[in-house]
Amino acid sequence: MNKFKIASLCVLSCIVGHSVYSMTDDVESNILNRAFVCKYSDDQEEETEVFLPKENWTPKEFMEELTKIQPIHVNLVEMNVSDYILDELLPYAHLIYGLYLSDNFFTDKSLEILQNFSELRFLGMENNSLNHPSLEHLLALTHLQHLDLTYNKIDPSELEAIRTKLEGVRVIF
């Protein structure tokens, strides 16, 4: 059920994200204009408030409105993005509690950037290009509760080390 709901949100994300992004050239080119963004909840089944940016917002208004629904969950599933996109999210890192990056092209380098997302509770990185993720970077995510690394090319012994070191985190691989 949870995977079905997430898949539904992904479809909505693509529809909303692409329509918002294509509304005007005046909107600041911002990944959050293209991503599905909603209020974060520890209960992934709970309906939450969706963030829909308006085309005439200034960057300041954008941040003010985003702050009103914080903490947020950002869904970038199947957006054909990789590590570089995380740099665009860094100004919002303190607001992001959930980050769903599945079915993209993120590499081990992404974890170096993600260590700056210190408030993360949920990190979904299924089906990316992870090979040897650094435990050091994952350990910096002290609030992390859920980590999904399925469908990556990580050695099973490394996955077990991650699970052991990230005590209290539900690690799926």
Side-chain angles (χ1 to χ4, degrees):
M1 179 65 177
N2 192 22
K3 291 282 185 183
F4 177 74
K5 182 176 180 182
I6 290 171
S8 299
L9 289 175
C10 291
V11 171
L12 178 63
S13 169
C14 291
I15 294 168
V16 171
H18 290 292
S19 63
V20 169
Y21 185 66
S22 62
M23 281 193 290
T24 179
D25 291 333
D26 298 331
V27 176
E28 179 186 357
S29 179
N30 181 317
I31 187 60
L32 294 182
N33 283 333
R34 294 175 277 148
F36 176 75
V37 179
C38 62
K39 183 168 182 64
Y40 176 82
S41 172
D42 285 330
D43 178 2
Q44 297 295 313
E45 297 293 325
E46 181 182 327
E47 295 289 325
T48 61
E49 184 178 350
V50 175
F51 177 72
L52 295 172
K54 294 186 178 163
E55 64 182 83
N56 60 345
W57 281 350
T58 65
K60 182 181 177 188
E61 290 170 319
F62 184 92
M63 183 59 107
E64 287 171 356
E65 293 300 316
L66 191 61
T67 303
K68 287 179 185 176
I69 69 161
Q70 72 174 315
I72 62 173
H73 186 112
V74 178
N75 184 326
L76 296 172
V77 172
E78 293 183 351
M79 291 193 66
N80 294 319
V81 293
S82 63
D83 305 335
Y84 71 90
I85 210 73
L86 296 175
D87 289 328
E88 286 188 42
L89 289 176
L90 276 174
Y92 312 101
H94 65 286
L95 303 173
I96 300 173
Y97 279 36
L99 194 50
Y100 204 43
L101 305 174
S102 301
D103 300 311
N104 282 296
F105 302 98
F106 291 98
T107 67
D108 298 334
K109 181 167 175 32
S110 66
L111 297 178
E112 184 177 331
I113 302 165
L114 284 170
Q115 73 181 343
N116 297 303
F117 290 72
S118 59
E119 298 299 323
L120 273 182
R121 270 72 170 164
F122 176 93
L123 179 57
M125 296 198 73
E126 307 94 319
N127 198 27
N128 275 287
S129 301
L130 300 176
N131 293 309
H132 302 287
S134 170
L135 269 176
E136 175 186 330
H137 302 306
L138 289 171
L139 290 173
L141 302 175
T142 58
H143 296 290
L144 195 64
Q145 299 168 0
H146 180 97
L147 174 63
D148 195 335
L149 298 171
T150 54
Y151 302 109
N152 281 286
K153 297 175 183 169
I154 306 170
D155 184 88
S157 63
E158 289 181 62
L159 288 169
E160 199 53 50
I162 290 170
R163 179 179 272 166
T164 302
K165 293 281 187 179
L166 294 175
E167 202 172 299
V169 177
R170 181 176 180 219
V171 180
I172 301 173
F173 53 84

